[in-house]
């Protein structure tokens, strides 16, 4: 049942694409690196005997027919794009684990009633355009033409990047998947936290996915001479942003479940002897409880506005995305629990702090996720690591879950 060596070799091969000398990977969406990763994955899908196709959003699918071809399919997915200087497992484990499941079914001559498909979604991470899960949004029909205006650091929009990659943004609606063609969505992913390690368990059953809000805060003050403007008379946009960064850290620390991160900061005009007249920061705020997250956001907005008023700074908030938390399906959780126990693994339920494409696919069909233990809980970092044995254990649980949900014919 599943070839852990083959899965590990494919993970290692895929990790070479976009690898930096310092050890991290960078495979941003619609780049040559992401294209090369999808081409390699397509070749693995072919080795697994799957019918391969790409949709209008660049999502890459491999399909194995069931004995009832008209039955709704089981979809297994994840992504092959990465953050800047990311690790080898976030995304690739789910895609390659899905292919491994389908290849094993083929080799063992397993006939399932339902078709089973594996998908590598386009741009889950949002690392390039500050809008993630582009491919899964397209699948559900919630990727709007306005969304396609999001720009990267060089001012290239999603629509422009799609065109450069040979895709037609006006046709993105063709990627919409009718809900009645899907029976369930499953994703195998590294935990990216320390819970399973603490429990000494290789695999866990995800209960739900925390909902993120991504904002951009723009501060407008007044540029001035660093040598001649007295401290009490300044309108320093960067100093205001710095105060707000502290407010965010403080407010996000209050509830115990909320997490708040400022990952991007910029200031202008950018001279050593000029008071910054403008500044900008990003905010990533998440909680598994939407009401708690929104309360924290409200306090941050209030205190940021108060700080800026005191400092004579204009503050603007731009909302980049807002998603509710997504609970996993009870039925799929039960199937994963049974599969784990079938493998002799104590089943352990835990929520996901990270976002995943399942948040969107859940609009079409029941969704479930299997987590694999991460070393030291480190992720979005070149040190991200899960052992070969744990990846194999997660893949076996995925295999048994798929057999259950796709029904052996
Ligand atoms: C992606 O990994 C995210 O959770 O932002
Ligand atoms: Mn991921
Ligand atoms: Mn990620």
């Amino acid at each position: 049942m599943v070839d852990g060596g083959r899965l590990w070799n494919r993970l290692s091969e895929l990790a070479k694409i976009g690898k930096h000398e310092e050890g991290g990977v960078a495979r941003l969406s619609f780049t040559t690196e992401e294209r090369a990763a999808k081409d390699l994955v397509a070749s693995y899908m072919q080795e697994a005997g799957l019918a391969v196709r790409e949709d209008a959003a660049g999502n890459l699918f491999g399909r194995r027919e069931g004995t009832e071809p008209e039955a709704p399919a089981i979809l297994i997915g994840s992504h092959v794009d990465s953050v800047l200087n990311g690790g080898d497992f976030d995304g690739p484990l789910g895609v390659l684990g899905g292919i491994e499941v389908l290849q094993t079914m083929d080799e063992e001559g397993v006939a399932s009633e339902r078709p089973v498909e594996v998908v590598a979604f386009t741009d889950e991470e949002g690392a390039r355009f500050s809008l993630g899960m582009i491919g899964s949004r397209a699948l559900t029909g919630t990727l709007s033409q306005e969304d396609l205006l999001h720009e990267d650091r060089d001012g290239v929009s999603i629509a422009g990047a799609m065109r450069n990659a040979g895709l037609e943004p006006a046709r993105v609606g063709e990627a919409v998947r009718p809900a009645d063609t899907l029976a369930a969505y499953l994703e195998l992913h590294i935990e990216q936290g320390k819970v399973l390690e603490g429990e000494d368990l290789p695999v866990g059953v995800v209960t739900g996915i925390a909902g993120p809000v991504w904002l951009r805060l723009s501060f407008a003050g007044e540029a001035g001479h660093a040598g001649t403007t007295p401290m009490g008379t300044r309108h320093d946009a960067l100093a205001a942003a710095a105060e707000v960064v502290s407010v965010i850290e403080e407010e996000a620390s209050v509830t115990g479940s909320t997490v708040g991160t400022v990952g991007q900061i910029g200031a202008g005009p950018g001279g050593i002897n000029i008071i910054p007249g403008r500044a900008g920061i990003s905010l990533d705020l998440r909680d598994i409880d939407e009401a708690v997250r929104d309360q924290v956001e409200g306090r941050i907005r209030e205190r940021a506005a108060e700080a800026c008023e005191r400092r004579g700074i204009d503050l603007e908030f731009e909302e980049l995305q807002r998603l509710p938390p997504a609970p996993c399906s009870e039925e799929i959780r039960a199937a994963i629990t049974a599969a784990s126990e079938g493998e002799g693994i104590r089943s352990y339920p835990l929520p996901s702090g990270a976002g995943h494409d399942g948040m969107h696919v859940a609009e079409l069909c029941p969704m479930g996720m299997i987590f694999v233990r991460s070393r030291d809980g480190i992720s979005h970092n070149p040190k991200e690591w899960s052992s070969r044995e744990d990846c194999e254990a997660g893949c076996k649980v995925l295999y048994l879950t798929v057999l259950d949900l796709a029904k052996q014919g």
Side-chain angles (χ1 to χ4, degrees):
M1 185 174 63
V2 312
D3 183 339
R6 179 167 59 197
L7 173 60
W8 191 253
N9 288 340
R10 286 176 174 171
L11 278 164
S12 308
E13 281 306 304
L14 183 51
K16 289 180 187 161
I17 300 175
K19 183 72 95 183
H20 284 212
E21 281 165 18
E22 315 86 65
V25 294
R27 289 190 299 267
L28 298 189
S29 53
F30 306 115
T31 59
T32 49
E33 289 79 16
E34 194 216 28
R35 183 66 262 162
K38 281 183 175 163
D39 288 345
L40 182 64
V41 167
S43 76
Y44 295 151
M45 287 175 168
Q46 265 146 5
E47 277 172 42
L50 306 178
V52 181
R53 73 177 174 96
E54 233 170 89
D55 71 13
N59 295 318
L60 172 67
F61 291 86
R63 178 174 166 108
R64 182 171 191 267
E65 292 302 337
T67 52
E68 292 176 19
E70 299 305 317
I74 304 300
L75 182 63
I76 311 169
S78 201
H79 58 101
V80 294
D81 70 304
S82 78
V83 293
L84 283 169
N85 208 23
D88 296 352
F89 299 86
D90 176 358
L93 177 63
V95 174
L96 299 175
I99 295 173
E100 184 54 40
V101 164
L102 289 173
Q103 190 156 0
T104 304
M105 286 171 75
D106 201 49
E107 288 165 353
E108 299 199 347
V110 173
S112 62
E113 279 175 21
R114 290 178 167 149
V116 185
E117 294 183 38
V118 58
V119 58
F121 281 116
T122 292
D123 197 336
E124 184 268 357
E125 294 285 7
R128 181 168 177 191
F129 300 102
S130 298
L131 179 81
M133 307 183 217
I134 292 174
S136 49
R137 287 175 204 266
L139 202 76
T140 60
T142 54
L143 183 70
S144 65
Q145 289 297 315
E146 200 187 346
D147 288 336
L148 300 184
L149 302 177
H150 278 243
E151 289 181 351
D152 68 8
R153 284 168 193 226
D154 301 320
V156 179
S157 66
I158 297 177
M162 287 179 75
R163 271 189 217 100
N164 294 341
L167 293 163
E168 184 40 64
R171 298 178 63 175
V172 85
E174 292 172 19
V176 173
R177 184 79 185 244
D180 62 2
T181 66
L182 292 177
Y185 175 75
L186 284 170
E187 183 160 349
L188 175 68
H189 204 282
I190 54 165
E191 180 201 336
Q192 310 176 277
K194 288 184 176 179
V195 175
L196 294 174
E197 194 171 58
E199 293 291 325
D200 198 20
L201 285 170
V203 171
V205 186
V206 180
T207 53
I209 306 173
V213 174
W214 285 4
L215 304 177
R216 186 168 287 139
L217 280 67
S218 302
F219 301 80
E222 192 168 35
H225 197 294
T228 61
T229 317
M231 293 307 290
T233 66
R234 299 179 175 209
H235 303 290
D236 183 330
L238 183 55
E243 183 176 340
V244 174
V245 172
S246 293
V247 164
I248 289 166
E249 192 183 35
E250 231 173 77
E251 291 295 343
S253 304
V254 169
T255 68
S257 58
T258 314
V259 283
T261 305
V262 175
Q264 296 172 327
I265 187 159
I272 191 168
N273 57 355
I274 310 174
I275 298 162
R278 56 193 155 75
I281 59 173
S282 59
L283 170 59
D284 173 323
L285 192 68
R286 311 187 193 202
D287 203 296
I288 195 75
D289 183 326
E290 190 173 15
V292 171
R293 178 199 70 188
D294 291 351
Q295 278 159 17
V296 173
E297 182 193 348
R299 282 197 294 275
I300 290 171
R301 282 181 182 260
E302 234 170 73
R303 287 185 60 189
E306 182 274 314
C308 288
E309 201 181 321
R310 179 172 17 90
R311 291 169 173 274
I313 302 282
D314 286 333
L315 172 61
E316 273 180 24
F317 291 89
E318 183 192 356
E319 186 172 299
L320 301 170
Q321 70 165 340
R322 175 179 298 275
L323 294 174
C328 292
S329 134
E330 293 290 341
E331 190 196 342
I332 298 184
R333 278 176 61 180
I336 297 170
T337 299
S340 304
E341 285 166 2
E343 276 300 291
I345 302 167
R346 174 168 65 90
S347 83
Y348 189 86
L350 75 171
S352 171
H356 301 285
D357 289 301
M359 305 184 85
H360 292 285
V361 187
E363 290 165 30
L364 300 176
C365 63
M367 172 276 288
M369 290 190 72
I370 301 162
F371 269 173
V372 168
R373 167 168 52 194
S374 291
R375 187 174 69 193
D376 298 329
I378 296 173
S379 186
H380 285 189
N381 181 311
K383 289 191 197 132
E384 179 179 282
W385 184 260
S386 293
S387 71
R388 185 193 135 147
E389 293 70 30
D390 287 357
C391 291
E392 181 172 345
C395 193
K396 281 183 178 168
V397 172
L398 178 66
Y399 181 75
L400 292 176
T401 309
V402 169
L403 290 195
D404 180 3
L405 297 176
K407 307 272 188 287
Q408 280 188 255

